[in-house]
Amino acid sequence: MPIHLRAEPGDYAPAVLCPGDPNRSTHIAETFFDPGFRLVNSERGMLGYTGTFEGRPISVQTTGMGCPSSGIVFEELVQLGARRLVRVGTCGGLGDGMAMGDTVIAQSASCDDSTPLRYAQMTSYAPSATFDLVATAASLARADGARVHVGPIVTSGLFYDPDPTTFGSWKRTGHIGVEMEAAMMYTVAAVHGLEALAMMTVSDVLGSDGSTVRISDEELRRGVDAMMRLACRVAVS
Ligand code: HPA
């Protein structure tokens, strides 16, 4: 039994959704899983549930915020037998023409945090999603008529960045979003041979001048619910 996920091999399904927020884990299980799901972890409030989605096995496990916290959870999910990790959450939107509530599919996640590089044991590395999962998510999203953007994102160690020029430099190199966990998940998955994909809802639109416009709670809930249903379908695909 790992230290932070107080579960045994077999308690998690091979496919695990990975939100940062424990409330979101509970919401996903209650809203999208078939009746009969069970709590598999509550250590440190990092709630995890296992059940089925449209009859197929699935788990959801909270990661907490940032690479150090999520890295512990990803590693222990590997120890417990996970084979496919699908991060679901929110991101800041950096792409031109992006709107609140849009879906971002992260083809790659640049490291603006040293934790994934330290784990990779490389000074430079390109954490990347599993291509088939990117393709499946993009085609399911487009078939649903969702506003979806596929491209590189940044995984940052800072939410409150004191430097107003940072967003501009990320945009300059074509990044379409910023969040705080995907690069860690892609790196742990690569090292252990797992599949991985990060899908996010745009919760704030970020300007080159460092400005931030934030989504309303209601808009956010609608966008996140649509993205999470899609993530369940990708996870069991
Ligand atoms: N920065 C980092 N992570 C985020 C952001 C952001 O602006 N928005 C949502 N997650």
Side-chain angles (χ1 to χ4, degrees), residues 90-92 159 178-180 203-204 206:
T90 56
C91 70
F159 188 90
V178 53
E179 52 75 84
M180 303 185 73
S203 60
D204 36 273
L206 311 175

Side-chain angles (χ1 to χ4, degrees), residues 111-195:
C111 303
D112 192 62
D113 181 301
S114 61
T115 317
L117 297 175
R118 171 73 176 70
Y119 187 89
Q121 299 177 270
M122 293 173 73
T123 50
S124 173
Y125 171 62
S128 307
T130 301
F131 175 78
D132 283 351
L133 294 181
V134 174
T136 300
S139 71
L140 288 175
R142 287 180 180 138
D144 274 358
R147 283 179 52 97
V148 60
H149 310 268
V150 183
I153 65 159
V154 178
T155 294
S156 178
L158 285 178
F159 188 90
Y160 296 106
D161 188 339
D163 179 352
T165 68
T166 305
F167 299 156
S169 66
W170 290 338
K171 279 174 183 268
R172 183 178 152 266
T173 41
H175 295 91
I176 61 170
V178 53
E179 52 75 84
M180 303 185 73
E181 297 82 22
M184 194 68 206
M185 183 182 72
Y186 288 173
T187 306
V188 174
V191 168
H192 292 283
L194 273 65
E195 297 180 306

